[in-house]
Amino acid sequence: MGRGTGALISISLECHFDAAHKLDLPYESPCNRPHGHRYIVRIIASAQRLEHGMVVDFNVLKGVVERFDHRDLNALPEFADMPSTAENIAIVLARELQLAAGARVSIDEVSVHESPQTAARWTKPA
Amino acid sequence: MGRGTGALISISLECHFDAAHKLDLPYESPCNRPHGHRYIVRIIASAQRLEHGMVVDFNVLKGVVERFDHRDLNALPEFADMPSTAENIAIVLARELQLAAGARVSIDEVSVHESPQTAARWTKPA
Amino acid sequence: MGRGTGALISISLECHFDAAHKLDLPYESPCNRPHGHRYIVRIIASAQRLEHGMVVDFNVLKGVVERFDHRDLNALPEFADMPSTAENIAIVLARELQLAAGARVSIDEVSVHESPQTAARWTKPA
Amino acid sequence: MGRGTGALISISLECHFDAAHKLDLPYESPCNRPHGHRYIVRIIASAQRLEHGMVVDFNVLKGVVERFDHRDLNALPEFADMPSTAENIAIVLARELQLAAGARVSIDEVSVHESPQTAARWTKPA
Amino acid sequence: MGRGTGALISISLECHFDAAHKLDLPYESPCNRPHGHRYIVRIIASAQRLEHGMVVDFNVLKGVVERFDHRDLNALPEFADMPSTAENIAIVLARELQLAAGARVSIDEVSVHESPQTAARWTKPA
Amino acid sequence: MGRGTGALISISLECHFDAAHKLDLPYESPCNRPHGHRYIVRIIASAQRLEHGMVVDFNVLKGVVERFDHRDLNALPEFADMPSTAENIAIVLARELQLAAGARVSIDEVSVHESPQTAARWTKPA
């Protein structure tokens, strides 16, 4: 039998990726020019039952985020049909992290800092 | 009569220990090699009634954590039957801190940072 | 009469720009893929004689750096003939800052942080 | 023709490794028990002439340090004949970084933080 | 007999003041509009001989700086004839700190941070 | 044979002590009232030749500083004849650290922070 923890154990991970991107806003904006950021990503996950003593291996979550490292976000299939804003990056990462972590694990929160001053946060629906 | 505080007083403590450990994951991982970390532990405790004006002496809590300092976690009895993950360290510490602090005190939260970027958090069941 | 200060007054400025770039290293490297960074730039300048009470207006220095903001460095004329490494960005900025500040001012040091962990520093030849 | 820089360009890199170790001091010490640390390493390097626009690829330096990550230092050949103190780690890293960077590059300084409070620093002989 | 220390003892002090000011630059600049800053001042002083065990009482240095707190710098006699730039504030403070500390003490360095990103530094002539 | 390092290896240590003290300044000052601080001490030491792979065991240096922890400095023999200022604490610590470390080791610098904003620094005479 697994070690039931009553969802009392959560983990947090901070990682980053360096990527190029640009927006296509219908108005004049520096964001419409190709540029880039160091994106800082913070993830909170939890589980009712640990596996190998873990909610989920930190390296599994990190691997999902690092697929975006040293890439042009606009050239990735994920952003073929939607703008590569911090908001959409958080939504995309939440979905891909949930897929990678599996049904036992709950991805509860994903924050994406585009700069030290600007961030978007996805929170799991209650 | 004791000074009833209606559980309004809580304390927090941050301390650390430097320890070796390794995991035995059923897949290839750098975590399966003997290595080590500076673990940062954050504890929140509260009490309905203070004793000597304290929820609990910080040194009592610190003493529990420091038993892990400059040790190989895998060689400790606590981790004889379960992996020495950050999640399990939090669970073990929560149990031992509760024992050391006594029934008057409530250990409410124990976080274990394995690195500045990765942490596990145990929260007392409601 | 100018207020001679015997070069005892120096100023420092930290500013940043968010830009895309890529390298063309002759070996496999993630740096060869289009990506981006938040670059942090630190400048030290000094002058024998203040003008308007200043070594040089911080906004003049900032203006030079901000020309790189929200740009693809590889598309700029400065990097047409050399790789857009942190080292070359520091060399280029030092030259352009010196031009903008004028002969009265000495640009003494220019550091370019490509990430919080990696930096290149140009120092004025003695 | 190489771009002579007159040794004015230096780079700095901060990276880390998580490792187990123990000392064999001839007196009672917690350091004689197997334990571990997150080691923070800071490197300063410079070059008279850039190559590919770089003093040296940050990834080359990082690769040398990361060979120690998630390892038991005492089991490595480098520490077969000498204690795995922060001082010796700095000496060993300086030698291996110089070998990896090649004769064009000067490794000027290597600091090894065993904890946020304790560090050893190797400085290149003048 | 005084305790001669061979000028080996230096002290450092960081303090701050909140003040209004404006410049009168001969070109359009936001600095020409009345505004204000929290100025952070860092002082280094040394002495050949301690008095009451001190290079100089921190409160004496602090008192000099705090005369500028909650003031309009442009209304102070110090800045009647020169612009209230960070450079000139450093020069004025260095002179007034030296007067207050007396001839036994050497004011070695005064830095004035107008913001976390911008600073001017006065260094004592060698 | 000892491993000659040509004094290229230095170590740094940061530690702290919490102590009460008061001054007896011949003028009105809050420092004349019994009070206390968390003192932060930074030590730099170096050696021509390592012993057990170390300049000196961090615990030896720490032990010297910790003798002041949770004490009334004015009641210690060290401060029987001189005021317990940060300057004198640095002088006293430098002397005691040098005694504890032995002649092979050079204590190069001792800084004593009385608060995050105020510090005294002892530097070894050249």
Side-chain angles (χ1 to χ4, degrees):
Chain A
M1 192 203 75
R3 185 174 294 268
T5 64
L8 302 170
I9 302 292
S10 66
I11 59 168
S12 59
L13 170 68
E14 180 180 311
C15 49
H16 67 268
F17 61 94
D18 290 284
H21 89 134
K22 70 183 186 91
L23 301 182
D24 291 291
L25 297 168
Y27 48 87
E28 184 76 18
S29 165
C31 300
N32 290 347
R33 304 193 300 244
H35 62 284
H37 304 286
R38 158 157 292 207
Y39 291 89
I40 307 285
V41 179
R42 294 199 184 97
I43 302 160
I44 299 178
S46 59
Q48 291 280 350
R49 186 173 47 82
L50 301 184
E51 209 172 83
H52 311 307
M54 304 184 295
V55 169
V56 59
D57 193 327
F58 291 123
N59 288 319
V60 167
L61 304 181
K62 222 165 145 180
V64 171
V65 174
E66 285 179 352
R67 286 182 43 245
F68 289 179
D69 189 43
H70 281 71
R71 295 286 175 193
D72 177 356
L73 296 182
N74 292 52
L76 295 178
E78 282 90 342
F79 300 102
D81 296 324
M82 63 179 170
S84 57
T85 56
E87 290 87 336
N88 279 336
I89 297 171
I91 291 170
V92 164
L93 280 177
R95 190 181 56 215
E96 301 193 357
L97 287 162
Q98 186 60 72
L99 274 173
R104 184 184 50 83
V105 177
S106 164
I107 301 297
D108 297 328
E109 210 176 289
V110 178
S111 299
V112 175
H113 271 261
E114 203 171 70
S115 78
Q117 286 76 39
T118 53
R121 186 170 63 174
W122 174 91
T123 315
K124 189 180 182 162
Chain B
M1 193 202 75
R3 183 178 295 266
T5 63
L8 300 173
I9 303 291
S10 67
I11 59 169
S12 60
L13 169 69
E14 181 180 311
C15 50
H16 67 267
F17 61 95
D18 290 285
H21 90 134
K22 70 183 185 93
L23 300 183
D24 291 290
L25 296 168
Y27 50 87
E28 183 79 17
S29 165
C31 300
N32 290 346
R33 304 193 299 245
H35 62 284
H37 304 286
R38 158 153 296 204
Y39 291 89
I40 307 284
V41 180
R42 295 200 183 95
I43 302 161
I44 299 177
S46 60
Q48 292 279 350
R49 185 173 47 82
L50 302 184
E51 210 172 83
H52 311 305
M54 301 184 294
V55 169
V56 60
D57 193 326
F58 289 122
N59 288 319
V60 168
L61 304 181
K62 224 164 141 180
V64 171
V65 174
E66 284 178 353
R67 286 183 43 247
F68 289 179
D69 189 43
H70 280 72
R71 296 286 175 193
D72 176 357
L73 297 182
N74 293 52
L76 296 177
E78 282 91 339
F79 300 101
D81 296 325
M82 64 178 170
S84 56
T85 55
E87 288 89 333
N88 279 336
I89 297 171
I91 292 170
V92 164
L93 280 176
R95 190 181 56 215
E96 301 193 358
L97 287 162
Q98 185 60 72
L99 274 172
R104 183 184 50 82
V105 177
S106 165
I107 302 297
D108 297 327
E109 209 177 290
V110 178
S111 298
V112 175
H113 271 262
E114 203 172 71
S115 78
Q117 286 77 39
T118 53
R121 187 169 64 172
W122 173 92
T123 315
K124 189 180 184 164
Chain C
M1 191 202 77
R3 184 174 294 268
T5 65
L8 302 172
I9 302 292
S10 66
I11 58 168
S12 59
L13 169 68
E14 180 181 311
C15 48
H16 67 267
F17 62 94
D18 291 285
H21 89 133
K22 71 183 187 93
L23 300 182
D24 291 290
L25 296 167
Y27 49 88
E28 183 78 18
S29 166
C31 300
N32 289 347
R33 302 193 300 246
H35 62 283
H37 304 287
R38 158 158 294 206
Y39 291 89
I40 306 285
V41 179
R42 294 200 185 95
I43 302 160
I44 299 178
S46 59
Q48 292 279 353
R49 184 172 48 80
L50 301 184
E51 209 172 83
H52 311 307
M54 304 185 293
V55 169
V56 59
D57 193 326
F58 290 123
N59 289 319
V60 167
L61 304 181
K62 223 164 143 181
V64 171
V65 174
E66 285 179 351
R67 286 182 43 245
F68 289 0
D69 189 44
H70 281 74
R71 296 286 173 193
D72 176 357
L73 296 181
N74 293 51
L76 295 178
E78 282 90 340
F79 299 102
D81 295 324
M82 63 179 171
S84 56
T85 56
E87 289 89 334
N88 280 336
I89 297 171
I91 292 171
V92 163
L93 280 177
R95 189 180 58 215
E96 300 193 357
L97 287 162
Q98 186 61 70
L99 275 173
R104 184 183 51 82
V105 178
S106 165
I107 302 297
D108 296 328
E109 209 177 287
V110 178
S111 298
V112 176
H113 271 261
E114 205 171 70
S115 77
Q117 286 77 39
T118 52
R121 186 169 63 171
W122 173 93
T123 315
K124 189 181 183 161
Chain D
M1 191 203 76
R3 183 175 296 266
T5 64
L8 302 171
I9 303 292
S10 66
I11 58 168
S12 59
L13 170 68
E14 181 181 311
C15 48
H16 67 268
F17 62 95
D18 291 284
H21 89 135
K22 71 183 186 91
L23 300 182
D24 291 290
L25 296 168
Y27 49 87
E28 182 77 17
S29 165
C31 300
N32 290 347
R33 304 193 299 246
H35 62 283
H37 303 286
R38 158 157 293 205
Y39 292 90
I40 307 285
V41 179
R42 293 200 184 95
I43 302 160
I44 298 178
S46 59
Q48 293 279 351
R49 184 172 49 79
L50 301 184
E51 211 173 81
H52 311 308
M54 303 185 295
V55 169
V56 59
D57 193 326
F58 290 122
N59 289 319
V60 167
L61 304 180
K62 223 164 143 182
V64 171
V65 175
E66 285 180 352
R67 286 182 44 245
F68 289 180
D69 189 42
H70 280 73
R71 296 285 174 194
D72 176 358
L73 296 181
N74 293 52
L76 296 177
E78 281 90 340
F79 300 102
D81 296 324
M82 62 179 171
S84 56
T85 56
E87 288 89 334
N88 280 337
I89 297 170
I91 292 171
V92 164
L93 280 178
R95 190 181 55 215
E96 301 193 357
L97 287 162
Q98 186 61 71
L99 274 173
R104 182 183 53 82
V105 177
S106 166
I107 302 297
D108 297 328
E109 210 177 288
V110 178
S111 299
V112 175
H113 271 262
E114 205 171 71
S115 77
Q117 286 78 39
T118 53
R121 186 170 63 173
W122 173 92
T123 314
K124 189 182 183 160
Chain E
M1 191 204 76
R3 183 174 294 269
T5 64
L8 301 171
I9 302 292
S10 66
I11 58 168
S12 59
L13 170 69
E14 180 181 310
C15 48
H16 67 268
F17 62 95
D18 291 287
H21 88 136
K22 70 184 187 94
L23 301 182
D24 291 290
L25 297 168
Y27 49 87
E28 183 77 17
S29 165
C31 301
N32 289 347
R33 304 194 297 249
H35 61 284
H37 302 286
R38 159 155 293 204
Y39 291 89
I40 306 284
V41 179
R42 295 201 183 95
I43 302 161
I44 299 178
S46 59
Q48 292 280 350
R49 185 172 47 81
L50 301 184
E51 210 173 82
H52 312 307
M54 303 185 294
V55 169
V56 59
D57 193 326
F58 291 123
N59 289 319
V60 167
L61 303 181
K62 223 163 141 182
V64 171
V65 174
E66 285 179 352
R67 287 182 43 246
F68 289 0
D69 190 43
H70 282 73
R71 297 285 174 194
D72 176 357
L73 296 181
N74 293 52
L76 295 177
E78 281 91 341
F79 300 102
D81 296 324
M82 62 178 170
S84 56
T85 56
E87 288 89 334
N88 280 336
I89 297 171
I91 292 170
V92 164
L93 280 177
R95 190 180 57 215
E96 301 193 356
L97 288 162
Q98 186 59 71
L99 275 173
R104 182 183 53 82
V105 177
S106 165
I107 302 296
D108 296 328
E109 210 176 288
V110 178
S111 298
V112 175
H113 271 261
E114 207 171 68
S115 77
Q117 285 78 38
T118 53
R121 186 169 64 171
W122 173 92
T123 315
K124 189 182 182 159
Chain F
M1 191 203 74
R3 185 174 294 267
T5 63
L8 303 171
I9 302 292
S10 66
I11 58 167
S12 60
L13 170 68
E14 181 180 310
C15 49
H16 67 268
F17 62 94
D18 292 285
H21 89 135
K22 71 182 185 94
L23 300 182
D24 291 293
L25 296 168
Y27 49 87
E28 182 78 17
S29 164
C31 300
N32 290 347
R33 304 194 297 249
H35 61 284
H37 302 287
R38 159 155 293 203
Y39 290 90
I40 306 285
V41 179
R42 295 202 182 94
I43 302 161
I44 299 178
S46 59
Q48 291 279 349
R49 185 172 47 81
L50 301 184
E51 211 173 81
H52 310 308
M54 301 185 296
V55 168
V56 59
D57 194 326
F58 290 122
N59 289 319
V60 168
L61 304 180
K62 224 163 140 180
V64 171
V65 175
E66 285 179 352
R67 288 183 41 248
F68 289 0
D69 189 43
H70 281 73
R71 298 284 174 196
D72 176 358
L73 296 181
N74 293 51
L76 294 178
E78 282 91 339
F79 300 102
D81 296 324
M82 63 178 170
S84 57
T85 56
E87 288 89 335
N88 279 336
I89 297 171
I91 291 170
V92 164
L93 280 177
R95 190 180 57 215
E96 302 193 356
L97 287 162
Q98 185 61 70
L99 275 172
R104 183 182 53 81
V105 177
S106 165
I107 302 297
D108 297 328
E109 209 176 289
V110 178
S111 299
V112 175
H113 272 262
E114 207 171 69
S115 76
Q117 284 78 39
T118 53
R121 186 169 64 170
W122 173 93
T123 314
K124 189 183 182 159

